[in-house]
Amino acid sequence: FPSHDSKCDVVVPGEAKNYFRVGDQYHSFVDIPNKYNELERQFHRRQKSTIADDHGKKIFAHIPKYQAFCNVPDHVNFQPVINNCFNVYAPFEHEPEEGNWDTIQTFLKHIFGCGDIHWTDPKTKEKLVINELDLGYDYITLLYKKPTQILPILCLVSRENGTGKSTLGKLFKLMFTQNVAIVGNAELSDNFNAGWATKLLIICDEAKIDKQTVVEKVKALSTTDKVMMNAKGKDHVELDFFGKFIFFTNNEDNFIYASEDDVRYWIRKVPKLTQENLDVNMLEKMQEEIPAFVHFLNTRQMKVPNRHRAWFDPSLIKTDALKKVIEYSKPTIEKEIRAKVRQVFMDFGIETLYMSIGDVKQEFGLARYEDNYLEKVLRDNMGLDNFHKYEFDGQSFKTRDEVLAHLGKESFTVEDLRLLKKKYVVKRYSFPKWERVFVGENQQEIKRVDLNRTGRPYVINIHDFLTKEEIDSIDVNAEMKHANEVNDNTEADLFTAPKDDMPF
């Protein structure tokens, strides 16, 4: 309509701001109440004819139009539209504000712990002491400040109820609102992923993932940059992916498969909430403290440097709970071998055990397995190697450290490694076992017997199978100590033995 100063004023219908078009599809913003009695803004597809029926055809001239979707997270300087692309990431709803956040601090101390982790920085070799709570703060700080940073898969486990595992998911939901998806196992295994593909956090409560394909899918997604969003009745859309998976479960041992090489999991065993920490109004109090907690995240400095693609060095997050899952995930034959090897070390107190494939089959009752399979388990699963020496510059050495000492260096150069040769050699060795022996005409006793062998045995070290506490607790009597000393002093490998001692 023309105004008094001859300018044309365009009147935009108020309803137009509730719609937008991406490509050929129209969408409508809808404020949906959640269980906390709060409104969450979402958008849903709308037919053009439906919009015309409700508001008339003239409204389409005023509905904003975008070329495509994008997914760009930012909790500080959020942009709803980037390069004419509609940003599906939801804006951060909390403004930082100085204040008290004691309830959140107490709760996070319960979840992440407050013990010290003694850690050596792999880059600087500096010895540091990292508090477990600071590790948790670093994780949340990265969620807030660096939402695209790859992070480990956080898993909270406990057989008990009332530990606060689910409460952490609710706190994250209150903090990051629509950018958090709480899903079940069915949603993770389903091909349709539109409900969580654009989210910052994908939280799976009461998780127990039985299908290996789903395990591999989660592991792959935890480090990928792109995801194909698949919604029912819609075309697939490729979007940036930065989702972090969090699992809560009562299954401490077998909720997921993990191997020794897995560095993606950060598994924490959460204790039950004490009466001191138990507060029926805890969630409401933490919700009120979120602005103060965000202010804390804004001002604090990171305690752990970036040393891995998932930021945290794997040694920092390799907890006892993770080791327990790894142990449970091992195949039955490996568990059998480990149990028997541990028993030998506990019974006889030796530092190193030498056994060939044949010895393992015979002494551990594994004759039903083929040699090839046993060798794969010993080498690939357990990381064992046959007895060997090293050759360097025409000389023989027992260990790599001896070569370094010979060179007067702390580490090998590329040229050194090219000249260093591993040589597998035949060895005279022995290993102990319990055996029933006659000590009189009709009397028998269980005594230690050392079986002497010649061959290419696997080298099994006590420190790879027992903890320091277990090693310190071994009590070996004087007779067995003497037997161990005799074996240590008389061991010789055929690499250096006189020729007349050769078995061929």
Side-chain angles (χ1 to χ4, degrees):
F1 300 98
S3 61
H4 295 294
D5 55 1
S6 301
K7 292 182 180 179
C8 182
D9 294 330
V10 178
V11 178
V12 178
E15 296 84 359
K17 70 179 184 299
N18 295 325
Y19 298 94
F20 64 94
R21 191 186 82 187
V22 176
D24 300 326
Q25 299 292 334
Y26 285 89
H27 303 266
S28 171
F29 290 111
V30 184
D31 293 323
I32 300 177
N34 61 24
K35 64 180 180 181
Y36 302 110
N37 220 13
E38 299 170 333
L39 296 178
E40 291 186 357
R41 171 153 283 206
Q42 301 178 11
F43 61 87
H44 295 263
R45 283 180 64 178
R46 291 289 181 265
Q47 296 292 336
K48 185 176 182 180
S49 57
T50 303
I51 300 173
D53 288 344
D54 292 344
H55 306 290
K57 293 183 179 180
K58 290 184 179 179
I59 194 174
F60 294 109
H62 307 289
I63 293 177
K65 303 167 181 63
Y66 309 109
Q67 293 293 319
F69 287 110
C70 65
N71 190 25
V72 181
D74 196 321
H75 301 129
V76 180
N77 299 304
F78 178 77
Q79 298 180 66
V81 179
I82 302 172
N83 197 31
N84 203 29
C85 295
F86 182 84
N87 192 356
V88 297
Y89 195 79
F92 192 68
E93 298 181 3
H94 304 283
E95 288 293 331
E97 183 180 309
E98 284 192 67
N100 182 351
W101 52 281
D102 288 348
T103 310
I104 292 180
Q105 183 180 39
T106 301
F107 175 69
L108 293 180
K109 187 180 292 186
H110 168 77
I111 292 294
F112 292 103
C114 54
D116 289 332
I117 303 170
H118 295 269
W119 176 65
T120 301
D121 189 326
K123 184 176 180 180
T124 64
K125 306 304 179 185
E126 182 182 2
K127 295 184 184 298
L128 302 172
V129 178
I130 307 295
N131 189 273
E132 290 176 318
L133 183 57
D134 282 327
L135 212 59
Y137 286 155
D138 277 1
Y139 176 85
I140 302 173
T141 301
L142 290 168
L143 288 178
Y144 174 65
K145 289 186 175 181
K146 296 179 179 290
T148 60
Q149 168 65 46
I150 294 171
L151 291 176
I153 301 171
L154 177 62
C155 310
L156 301 185
V157 304
S158 177
R159 288 194 176 91
E160 299 179 300
N161 294 318
T163 59
K165 301 189 300 290
S166 298
T167 304
L168 180 68
K170 294 173 183 176
L171 174 61
F172 283 152
K173 181 68 175 174
L174 291 171
M175 279 188 66
F176 298 103
T177 59
Q178 299 172 60
N179 299 310
V180 176
I182 298 178
V183 302
N185 293 320
E187 286 88 349
L188 286 181
S189 58
D190 199 346
N191 289 327
F192 299 108
N193 60 3
W196 52 265
T198 62
K199 307 301 183 183
L200 172 70
L201 290 173
I202 302 109
I203 299 175
C204 186
D205 207 347
E206 297 304 326
K208 185 179 187 302
I209 303 178
D210 294 320
K211 295 181 180 179
Q212 187 60 25
T213 53
V214 179
V215 174
E216 295 302 325
K217 176 181 177 180
V218 169
K219 287 168 60 177
L221 285 171
S222 68
T223 55
T224 193
D225 292 324
K226 298 283 185 179
V227 67
M228 194 65 70
M229 188 170 71
N230 184 9
K232 291 182 180 179
K234 299 182 183 179
D235 293 335
H236 294 189
V237 179
E238 186 181 61
L239 289 174
D240 289 317
F241 184 77
F242 41 80
K244 286 79 176 163
F245 291 92
I246 300 180
F247 293 143
F248 304 142
T249 180
N250 291 340
N251 296 293
E252 294 184 15
D253 303 327
N254 62 341
F255 72 98
I256 203 166
Y257 173 84
S259 69
E260 294 282 359
D261 298 325
D262 277 319
V263 295
R264 293 174 173 87
Y265 300 116
W266 181 15
I267 304 179
R268 287 202 56 81
K269 180 176 169 64
V270 184
K272 193 166 184 175
L273 282 165
T274 62
Q275 287 298 321
E276 181 183 350
N277 294 332
L278 196 59
D279 185 348
V280 293
N281 299 315
M282 179 188 293
L283 199 60
E284 289 79 5
K285 290 180 180 178
M286 290 196 294
Q287 184 175 11
E288 294 175 359
E289 293 175 358
I290 287 175
F293 182 54
V294 172
H295 179 268
F296 164 73
L297 297 178
N298 259 332
T299 55
R300 76 179 292 269
Q301 297 294 318
M302 293 286 292
K303 301 295 183 183
V304 177
N306 187 352
R307 293 293 181 262
H308 191 260
R309 65 175 177 173
W311 192 279
F312 301 100
D313 181 68
S315 63
L316 265 175
I317 58 173
K318 191 163 187 177
T319 61
D320 290 337
L322 171 58
K323 294 174 185 175
K324 195 172 184 180
V325 173
I326 292 172
E327 282 297 319
Y328 197 94
S329 301
K330 288 169 180 168
T332 302
I333 182 175
E334 183 180 350
K335 293 178 189 174
E336 283 187 60
I337 296 172
R338 285 184 177 274
K340 306 239 184 215
V341 167
R342 282 173 52 82
Q343 195 61 55
V344 172
F345 284 131
M346 294 293 287
D347 284 353
F348 302 107
I350 57 177
E351 290 286 325
T352 307
L353 176 64
Y354 298 99
M355 297 184 80
S356 67
I357 287 282
D359 299 328
V360 170
K361 289 180 71 170
Q362 181 177 344
E363 302 303 326
F364 293 167
L366 303 174
R368 63 190 183 277
Y369 295 105
E370 294 183 359
D371 287 3
N372 288 342
Y373 180 55
L374 274 173
E375 185 171 6
K376 180 181 182 300
V377 171
L378 293 173
R379 284 186 174 274
D380 298 345
N381 294 36
M382 300 174 64
L384 300 178
D385 198 2
N386 294 97
F387 180 78
H388 56 269
K389 294 241 178 186
Y390 290 96
E391 276 190 1
F392 187 89
D393 194 24
Q395 297 185 54
S396 174
F397 301 90
K398 288 185 178 181
T399 65
R400 290 165 64 101
D401 289 339
E402 285 188 7
V403 182
L404 283 175
H406 169 72
L407 295 173
K409 297 180 179 179
E410 293 186 357
S411 60
F412 291 106
T413 65
V414 174
E415 179 62 20
D416 292 337
L417 291 174
R418 190 182 67 80
L419 297 174
L420 186 65
K421 305 296 181 185
K422 182 190 287 188
K423 295 289 185 181
Y424 292 100
V425 296
V426 176
K427 175 180 178 62
R428 287 200 302 269
Y429 64 96
S430 66
F431 58 87
K433 63 176 291 188
W434 296 118
E435 197 166 279
R436 192 181 297 274
V437 297
F438 284 96
V439 294
E441 191 170 326
N442 294 313
Q443 282 187 311
Q444 295 184 18
E445 283 186 5
I446 302 296
K447 284 197 168 187
R448 167 178 169 152
V449 174
D450 289 280
L451 301 182
N452 297 309
R453 297 283 191 267
T454 299
R456 301 180 185 272
Y458 283 91
V459 182
I460 309 170
N461 193 292
I462 189 173
H463 298 284
D464 296 329
F465 289 83
L466 300 183
T467 65
K468 184 179 183 301
E469 291 74 18
E470 288 173 328
I471 294 172
D472 292 340
S473 70
I474 296 174
D475 185 17
V476 181
N477 61 39
E479 179 186 350
M480 290 177 59
K481 282 182 180 177
H482 175 69
N484 290 341
E485 289 169 1
V486 169
N487 285 331
D488 289 340
N489 292 333
T490 58
E491 264 184 356
D493 62 83
L494 300 183
F495 189 79
T496 56
K499 288 187 178 181
D500 55 4
D501 286 344
M502 299 288 274
F504 44 81

